């Protein structure tokens, strides 16, 4: 049926160019914006960026590439943290951009669902949900650029997973183009459906290695009517967890964020970021940011915060606390959390670890990992922060003040290994939110080896026997 | 390594008997309790029931059976609705009972997780969670007998999924014995973990065809402190959905059940079940049962109900309503819902459909399916009920009063096809809760055919190339 010679890459490109036209087929200098990952870890080269305008065209592109033995890298907003979406440096991979599949197909406020194509940005999807009177409860810092297809392929997390779960938890249905060009239309809007294997969760988080997500049905929730944000100095991470437990026991559905910051990290924010100020009288070694929100009217979230924080202050678990009384104050508090990465960047070289442990093990993890890193490199600055309510800590290490940045970074693997040894001893994960991509497949055998990696490889082989989709990503 | 001749079933049985001992190896008359499914649809025969006491022994059983070419049917409490757990009538399948893997390995109230073995009954797991001050938020009518392994393998639903999701949504980690006897230890207690494919959701709902679930980490939630139950006569299913929408917009996290019943079904309950009474003055054509619950103190759930129901009564969307004022009243209201199956059974022959559609499509579904069935068999009694908040209706049909029961049942496939035609036109599912099992694989090509069934078959082939686990279940 196909006339192309399997080894004739030029024939394939000519055919794709004819089929996709000038908007849908980019080559040469026009590929520049698609060949480097967001963190600039990988500088790639590609013969073409393919930008089909709809699912049928995308399926035809995949069929043609499969027949020609070409390799494809699906790419959304290209905001990933582990390099999955950048093509290889040897020019062997074509980029399959989802950006033109950017339609919101349906919003049903009664059903509380929306059907969106993969190339819609997360922000555009959020806005559409809001216009329909609903909330798409997923928020990440790259949401203005990140696209739904990538958000799902990486199972994005963010600040609100403590309440609503990861991207995975919001998916009711998917449309996926398989490696052989078949289209699976699984765009069902059902809350209950026990008819065979749960395929959608296989593609969510697979980082483009098993198929190309082209559209999804997402769950929506009611918009909150009341929001309260508190900022607390706490005696210890364990004390912070106690506060979390008290809130959970009283109103778990209202906890929209529960974020941890260290005194060291806060000091860097206050030093390096303009227009920031500690909203408390005295600095402390540990802080938490609590956001409560609910669609209930007159919910008394402020009373709830006071009811939980007051006895904790008497017990000296909470050393000081402030509850924002205006949107401006809320934003100022959130800024202290959100500028942590930038503040660290301005301070010099840093090594990042996006790890998770069971929630109850976070205090142990912080103590042991801090001690181990300090023993490894005296003077190292431990600046952990992140999603305490999920057990997900961005355990970042800043170079000693008097050390050369490059010399510090030269030891990055030693540092990561040191942190990860503690994570493993607590049955944690080396990648809580960011995924595996091209950066971390080498870690898979040690962490997910044996039966687990064997199953993953068999599934990869079953769904992509030619290894044409995102080769070298996720699996070693 | 193995000495057994691949065709020597007697050699295999002798070896298993030696290995498992008298408690772990049942044959002959001792297999009686394991060979028939709960609904008595399938009467099977087996050469042995294998009851290993732990995961290592179970893995060895699977290895030996794989080497000998024997087929295995994992079985939990044997309360399934579609015959998946009963062995075939030709004696070719051995039953692998999970009942002795009945330990609760861990409960962590700080983490809000529990680690349980597959053979623990759902009730025992609920009780253990309660003793730790938590709630395992899954409840089904068979919970005293159903075991966690089966509950997960069938992705059980129940009355509270509108709040907490299906069994699937409660699983953080799994331990699974694969078809080749490998043990996958994926018992992680992490809220965030993006390290490769989401394997756990592949085994949940696979009805034992891809591997044997031997243990799981389940999410727990805080126990509710306040519960309110209302019973309402409503003008129509659409009016019921409006009430649901108002509650969702105000306090979605409090809606613990939102159940629909028809006037026809209620009449059968009142007629056939002793000690039941309609708690309203005048019968109606449609009813809903609303249960609100929350861990909040002084949550004002009763006020919320009144705030939503009062205007709905003024608009004549709700015709009458009562809010229970005691535990006895709550139980009496729930009895009206729970006795629906029994009341129908006592009335004569009935045909059951466990279907789902998008929540907003339920009124259309009820109207169209009722009309189609009445056109097919005049005098047929349409008695739908179920989980309106999930779009999951048990659309049951009772024989006409003057018709012969056997003659009615002889037309069961015609009736089911008539209902399913409406379900399909609304993008629904032929099995919302009960699964596929042995009863419904023939429906898979028509409903889930093409790419979807192709992927499922490839995954089955990848994980169980010999087809030794639950053959003929789920996939046609």
């Amino acid at each position: 049926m196909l006339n192309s010679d399997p080894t004739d890459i030029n024939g394939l490109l000519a055919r794709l160019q004819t089929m996709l036209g000038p908007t849908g087929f980019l080559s040469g200098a026009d590929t520049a914006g698609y060949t480097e990952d967001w963190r600039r870890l990988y500088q790639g080269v590609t013969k073409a960026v393919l930008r089909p305008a709809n699912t049928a065209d995308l399926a035809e592109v995949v069929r043609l590439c499969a027949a020609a033995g070409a390799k494809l890298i699906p790419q959304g907003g290209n905001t990933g943290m582990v390099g999955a979406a950048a093509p290889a440096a040897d020019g062997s991979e074509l980029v399959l951009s989802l950006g033109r599949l950017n339609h919101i197909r349906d919003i049903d406020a009664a059903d509380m669902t929306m059907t969106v194509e993969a190339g819609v940005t997360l922000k555009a999807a959020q806005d559409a949900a809001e216009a329909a009177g609903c909330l798409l409860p997923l928020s990440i810092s790259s949401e203005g650029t990140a696209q739904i297809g990538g958000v799902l392929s990486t199972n994005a997390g963010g600040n609100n997973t403590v309440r609503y779960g990861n991207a995975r938890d919001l998916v009711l249905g998917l449309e996926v183009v398989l490696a052989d060009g078949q289209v699976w239309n699984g765009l069902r809007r059902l809350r209950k459906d026990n008819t065979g294997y749960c395929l959608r969760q296989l593609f969510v988080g697979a980082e483009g290695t098993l198929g190309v997500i082209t559209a999804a049905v997402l769950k929506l929730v009611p918009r909150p009517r009341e929001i309260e944000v508190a900022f607390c100095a706490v005696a210890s991470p364990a004390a912070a967890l106690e506060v979390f437990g008290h809130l959970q026991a009283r109103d778990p559905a209202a906890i929209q964020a529960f974020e941890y910051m260290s005194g060291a990290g806060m000091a860097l924010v206050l030093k390096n970021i303009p227009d920031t100020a500690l909203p408390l009288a005295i600095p402390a070694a540990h802080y938490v940011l609590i956001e409560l929100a609910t669609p209930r009217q007159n919910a008394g979230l402020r009373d709830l915060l006071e009811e939980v924080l007051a006895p904790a202050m008497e017990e000296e678990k909470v050393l000081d606390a402030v509850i924002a009384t205006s949107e401006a104050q809320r934003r100022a508090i959130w800024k202290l959390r959100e500028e942590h990465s930038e503040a660290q960047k301005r301070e010099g070289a840093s090594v990042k670890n996006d790890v998770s442990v069971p929630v109850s093990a976070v205090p142990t993890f912080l103590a042991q990992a801090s001690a181990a890193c300090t023993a490894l490199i005296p003077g190292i600055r431990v600046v952990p922060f992140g999603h305490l309510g999920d057990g997900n800590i961005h355990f970042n290490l800043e170079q000693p003040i008097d050390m050369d940045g490059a010399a510090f970074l030269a030891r990055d693997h030693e540092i990561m290994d040191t942190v990860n040894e503690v994570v493993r001893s607590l049955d944690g994960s080396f990648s809580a939110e960011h995924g595996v991509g091209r950066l971390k497949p080498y870690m898979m055998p040690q962490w997910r080896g044996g039966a687990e990696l064997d199953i993953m490889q068999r599934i990869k082989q079953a769904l992509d026997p030619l290894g044409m989709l995102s080769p070298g990503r996720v699996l070693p």
Side-chain angles (χ1 to χ4, degrees), chain A:
Chain A
M1 196 174 79
L2 291 166
N3 298 319
S4 60
D5 171 354
T7 59
D8 177 15
I9 183 75
N10 290 330
L12 170 70
L13 292 174
R15 196 160 169 177
L16 290 169
Q17 187 164 22
T18 304
M19 177 194 155
L20 296 168
T23 316
F25 185 96
L26 309 179
S27 59
D30 294 340
T31 67
Y34 300 83
T35 53
E36 188 180 45
D37 75 301
W38 178 81
R39 289 180 66 187
R40 304 195 160 183
L41 300 170
Y42 301 98
Q43 286 76 39
V45 172
T46 189
K47 295 191 173 67
V49 175
L50 313 172
R51 302 176 67 240
N54 55 57
T55 301
D57 284 359
L58 192 146
E60 180 64 13
V61 165
V62 173
R63 262 192 301 275
L64 291 171
C65 289
K71 298 189 190 313
L72 283 173
I73 308 300
Q75 187 181 97
N78 198 17
T79 59
M81 300 292 282
V82 286
D90 66 2
S92 65
E93 299 168 350
L94 305 180
V95 173
L96 178 59
S97 169
L98 277 292
R100 288 174 76 200
L101 279 77
N102 59 0
H103 300 93
I104 292 170
R105 294 191 192 168
D106 181 68
I107 299 189
D108 186 332
D111 236 28
M112 303 295 271
T113 62
M114 71 191 302
T115 306
V116 287
E117 293 183 349
V120 173
T121 65
L122 177 53
K123 182 69 169 60
Q126 290 167 349
D127 290 347
E130 182 171 351
C134 303
L135 175 72
L136 173 59
L138 185 74
S139 177
I140 55 179
S141 52
S142 59
E143 60 198 26
T145 311
Q147 297 171 5
I148 293 296
V151 162
L152 297 183
S153 292
T154 57
N155 185 29
N159 292 335
N160 304 138
T161 55
V162 66
R163 169 69 186 95
Y164 302 106
N166 291 312
R168 178 182 305 294
D169 300 296
L170 304 177
V171 177
L172 285 179
L174 284 186
E175 180 186 83
V176 178
V177 173
L178 304 177
D180 60 6
Q182 281 189 90
V183 179
W184 169 44
N185 181 346
L187 290 174
R188 296 193 282 273
R189 299 187 291 153
L190 304 175
R191 304 281 166 168
K192 285 185 177 173
D193 177 27
N194 279 347
T195 53
Y197 307 150
C198 182
L199 301 182
R200 64 185 188 279
Q201 298 298 3
L202 204 49
F203 296 102
V204 174
E207 303 184 34
T209 61
L210 297 179
V212 184
I213 294 173
T214 51
V217 179
L218 304 176
K219 292 184 208 170
L220 304 176
V221 299
R223 296 190 66 74
R225 285 196 179 81
E226 196 174 293
I227 296 184
E228 296 288 349
V229 171
F231 183 84
C232 312
V234 292
S236 64
L241 270 190
E242 272 189 51
V243 172
F244 181 63
H246 289 311
L247 288 169
Q248 261 206 324
R250 280 168 179 77
D251 199 357
I255 308 174
Q256 192 155 276
F258 197 91
E259 298 284 306
Y260 171 80
M261 289 155 281
S262 70
M266 188 61 65
L268 295 186
V269 170
L270 298 172
K271 173 184 167 197
N272 294 331
I273 306 293
D275 303 323
T276 55
L278 190 70
L280 306 174
I282 301 171
H286 309 279
Y287 301 96
V288 287
L289 185 165
I290 305 168
E291 182 170 284
L292 303 185
T294 177
R296 303 193 313 270
Q297 278 172 319
N298 310 315
L301 295 181
R302 198 178 173 87
D303 294 345
L304 171 61
L305 276 171
E306 287 170 357
E307 180 191 322
V308 167
L309 293 177
M313 288 179 78
E314 272 179 39
E315 294 172 25
E316 296 181 4
K317 301 279 170 65
V318 171
L319 307 176
D320 198 2
V322 59
I323 302 175
T325 54
S326 68
E327 175 61 25
Q329 281 188 15
R330 280 206 289 271
R331 256 182 279 146
I333 289 174
W334 266 109
K335 187 176 184 180
L336 297 174
R337 163 65 184 81
E338 280 162 355
E339 294 287 356
H340 258 65
S341 289
E342 185 60 29
Q344 290 173 26
K345 199 170 166 184
R346 294 190 191 177
E347 188 68 13
S350 69
V351 174
K352 295 171 191 286
N353 299 275
D354 166 42
V355 301
S356 64
V357 293
V359 178
S360 58
V362 170
T364 305
F365 164 70
L366 288 172
Q368 293 185 354
S370 299
C373 288
T374 304
L376 182 73
I377 301 181
I380 198 170
R381 288 173 289 171
V382 182
V383 282
F385 64 99
H387 318 301
L388 180 55
D390 303 312
N392 173 200
I393 299 294
H394 300 298
F395 195 81
N396 292 359
L397 290 314
E398 191 78 28
Q399 63 171 83
I401 291 173
D402 52 2
M403 190 172 180
D404 175 63
F408 180 73
L409 286 181
R411 300 186 67 180
D412 62 345
H413 272 81
E414 257 181 285
I415 296 169
M416 288 192 273
D417 288 350
T418 300
V419 173
N420 281 332
E421 202 173 310
V422 180
V423 174
R424 285 200 73 187
S425 74
L426 297 168
D427 290 326
S429 171
F430 66 89
S431 187
E433 295 190 314
H434 295 170
V436 180
R438 285 167 72 180
L439 194 59
K440 299 180 177 175
Y442 77 93
M443 300 174 77
M444 291 290 281
Q446 198 189 356
W447 289 72
R448 303 290 176 247
E452 184 159 353
L453 193 50
D454 181 40
I455 304 171
M456 291 188 198
Q457 281 163 330
R458 287 198 236 174
I459 289 170
K460 170 72 174 174
Q461 175 68 25
L463 295 190
D464 180 19
L466 303 174
M468 72 171 292
L469 293 176
S470 298
R473 279 71 173 175
V474 182
L475 302 178

